Every structure is written in structure tokens, then in C-alpha cells.
Amino acid sequence: MTDVAPAPEATGRTAGLRGTPLRPVRVPLGGGRTARIWLKLEAQQPFGSIKARTAEALLDHLEAAGALRPGRRVVESTSGNLGIALAGLCAARGYRCTLIVEPTTPGSSIDRMTAYGAEVVTVAEVPGGRTVDVRLDAVRQILRRDGDAVWTNQYESPANPRVHTTRTAAELVRDAPRGRFDAVAVAVSTGGTLAGVAEYFRDRLPDARIIAVDAVGSAALGGAPADRPFKLAGFGSGRVSGFVRPCHFDHRALLRDEDAAAACARIRRRTGISLGGSAGAAVLAATVHAARDPALRELACVCPDSGEKYAELTDGGDGGDGVPGEPPGAPAEISAALALLEGVCPDEAHDVPPAD
């Protein structure tokens, strides 16, 4: 079960963006210490993810520049969530839409894209974790063939991080307990969310530690791309982020996909909250750092979506018996943090409702 209700779909030209709730959970750290982790549940956005913010911002930016007009075709490379939001908004605004995905994109996400009328092109997987380059090559081929095609370019458009500065981060800081967080954890893919949140936090809560969370085998924060057999959609990337700079984070956490999935399983079982893989990674990283540093008591995690559409999160990670298993080969510190998450519990008396 999950406490996140399905978000209503967009109507008209806008995604109907809204403030999303902060749901606090308590993690026992031992020795009488606990950390409170505030989950910003972006699954309550239209289209079910934080990418509703990004998609609307990307389209608005192109329309304001005069590059996107009715009758034109929007093209984008996506691992899933952005494609769903773009497909829905393009249908509402009268644009054709072509989305380039890869074999690891959840089938349910592709079904939603096509239900909105989008054309979906699946490229072949390539070894070494660089399938995103194949997706981008497919985008460029379409742009060369079709003079009416316009690339939203989530990887470079300034609209991507900007919406997370003006909206996502601003909401977090507005709703922070007693006006502050000790740290905020954000998982990366394009890096737009991390860069946008960091810009706002550096200005408004400069003492808060910023934890950038990337996947082992991802190149998003400068690592070497590699095959990821248990790859979680929307977590990490085969290319370096064009947005994230060293000033945007204090700590970098590199986590295996299977450890992030194990964190999701524990959180779901203990709290009823369903999180997508990148959100589980953020919570796991926050737990690791809270265990290291007693000064980190109030931590925020951006949770881009829920876990329902990911078979590896709903059908795996618990051995089929409802009890989360221990991922083989987990580093000692990660195993310890996963053990701590066995004790995570809701802190419902301190829920912060969404507000706009």
C-alpha cells in the first residue's frame, strides 16, 4: 500500500503544478539518536512525478522564445517520467510529440506516453552504460529530417534547473521545520533538480549540507559509465551532467541500484510509502550521512516519483515474502544503513500539507 494518491492529469495548457507535501519519517541511529527525514513526495504532481515541473518549464521556455508553435513536433530523449509529462502536455497544447526511450524504460511508462498520442521510438541497448548517447543520436537524426521538430533538450535548457530553484527548492525551504534543514539529499540524472535546489539552498540555507546521490556506473557526476545490470530508470546517467558544478554539493554518495531498491522495499514495508528508485537512493544516502554526523538531525529528500510503475521495486527486493533481502556484496556502511532503515517509522504528527 502507499499513501500517495494518483495525481489527476493535466487539463488545458498547464500541468496544474502544485506544492507537494513533506512527509517525515524517523530513522533510529543507535545510542538514543534518531534522524528525521522529510520526504518531498513529488508523485503527487500531475503525471505522477517531479518531471511535470520540468516538462512545463521546458515547453514554456521554448514558447516564450518563439521556437515552439502549434503544428510543430516536440522531440526528447527520456527514461520515462519526462516523456509521460511531455506527452500529456503536448496533447493539451496541440504539438506532435516523439519520445526516444531505451529497453529499460518501464513498459507502463511507454503505455502512458502512447495513450497521450506520442510516438515512441526505442533504441537498442549498447554496452558500457552509454545508451543515452544512442538516444541523443536518434533525436539529432529527427531534427535533421524534420524542419518542424523542436528539441526540448532537458540536458542543457536553463529552464530545467530554474524551475527547481523557483518552485521545488522554494517549497522545501518554506516548509522546513523551524525554518531550516541540516541537509538535503537529491539524486541525479540530468542534474537539473540538484543544481536548481542547490542554488536556492546556497542562498537561503547556506549552512545546510547538500548530498548529491549518483549510481555506481553512472557518469552524471563525472564517474566512468559502466553496465548496470539492475539499472533503475531515472537514476544516474551515461553522460556527465551539464548543470551540476562542484559548488552545488558538499557530499557525493555513490550507490548501487540494488541497494537503492532495497531501501525502497524497507521504506514501503515499514511506512506504507512507495518511492521510486532515485528517491530510495536519496533516503539511503541521507541515512548514511546522518549515521556519520550527529549534527544532521533534520534532513530533506527530494522524492521524484513513487514505485508502482517499476516492476523491480514492486515485484523484487523482498524475496517474494514481504521481507526485504540483503543485496549481495553491499558495502559495510550501506548494509548498516539498510539495517537502520528496518526501524524507519512514520512521524505523522509533523506532516506538512502541500501549499501553493
Side-chain angles (χ1 to χ4, degrees):
M1 296 293 291
T2 175
D3 63 352
V4 179
E9 299 305 300
T11 57
R13 290 178 50 81
T14 73
L17 294 179
R18 66 198 68 166
T20 51
L22 280 176
R23 177 64 51 83
V25 296
R26 288 271 183 190
V27 180
L29 301 176
R33 286 202 302 128
T34 66
R36 186 161 55 172
I37 299 179
W38 296 79
L39 310 177
K40 187 161 180 60
L41 299 176
E42 288 291 302
Q44 292 197 11
Q45 289 292 359
F47 309 110
S49 83
I50 197 170
K51 292 298 187 177
R53 300 182 189 264
T54 309
E56 186 172 85
L58 292 172
L59 294 177
D60 288 350
H61 176 73
L62 289 173
E63 288 176 345
L68 188 56
R69 301 183 297 276
R72 290 204 159 184
R73 173 159 57 145
V74 168
V75 183
E76 186 57 280
S77 158
T78 174
S79 61
N81 282 332
L82 181 67
I84 294 169
L86 280 175
L89 282 175
C90 284
R93 297 188 185 197
Y95 304 126
R96 292 172 292 151
C97 184
T98 298
L99 301 165
I100 313 300
V101 304
E102 58 189 76
T104 58
T105 302
S108 60
S109 297
I110 294 174
D111 290 343
R112 290 190 69 187
M113 296 176 208
T114 57
Y116 288 123
E119 175 190 23
V120 179
V121 177
T122 304
V123 302
E125 192 82 32
V126 298
R130 300 305 297 260
T131 306
V132 66
D133 291 337
V134 181
R135 287 175 12 208
L136 293 174
D137 285 343
V139 168
R140 295 185 185 100
Q141 290 173 20
I142 292 170
L143 296 176
R144 286 193 293 268
R145 294 196 308 263
D146 185 352
D148 285 330
V150 180
W151 183 17
T152 42
N153 197 355
Q154 63 166 321
Y155 308 93
E156 297 178 356
S157 173
N160 182 348
R162 185 167 58 232
V163 73
H164 300 298
T165 299
T166 60
R167 294 295 304 267
T168 311
E171 292 169 18
L172 267 173
V173 172
R174 177 196 66 199
D175 296 335
R178 295 181 296 279
R180 66 185 303 275
F181 288 112
D182 300 312
V184 58
V186 185
V188 296
S189 181
T190 67
T193 304
L194 173 63
V197 168
E199 289 289 339
Y200 196 88
F201 268 66
R202 292 305 195 209
D203 182 52
R204 302 301 179 92
L205 292 180
D207 293 333
R209 304 291 86 191
I210 299 174
I211 304 166
V213 189
D214 200 5
V216 173
S218 164
L221 295 180
D227 289 326
R228 295 162 56 192
F230 194 77
K231 183 179 179 182
L232 295 171
F235 179 38
S237 176
R239 71 198 306 265
V240 177
S241 170
F243 301 119
V244 179
R245 302 289 179 265
C247 63
H248 287 144
F249 59 92
D250 302 292
H251 309 288
R252 182 179 71 159
L254 290 178
L255 302 177
R256 302 185 309 167
D257 294 87
E258 52 266 48
D259 296 327
C264 292
R266 285 158 171 76
I267 294 161
R268 183 179 68 246
R269 184 172 66 90
R270 291 285 301 173
T271 71
I273 301 173
S274 174
L275 298 180
S278 59
V283 174
L284 182 56
T287 302
V288 167
H289 283 274
R292 287 179 187 172
D293 186 351
L296 302 184
R297 299 177 181 176
E298 303 279 1
L299 304 93
C301 289
V302 177
C303 300
D305 66 353
S306 62
E308 281 79 6
K309 61 180 170 288
Y310 304 111
E312 63 270 32
L313 298 181
T314 56
D315 299 334
D318 59 12
D321 58 5
V323 179
E326 179 71 28
E333 190 172 38
I334 301 303
S335 292
L338 288 171
L340 293 175
L341 285 174
E342 289 286 1
V344 65
C345 61
D347 190 8
E348 295 177 352
H350 296 90
D351 283 3
V352 176
D356 290 317

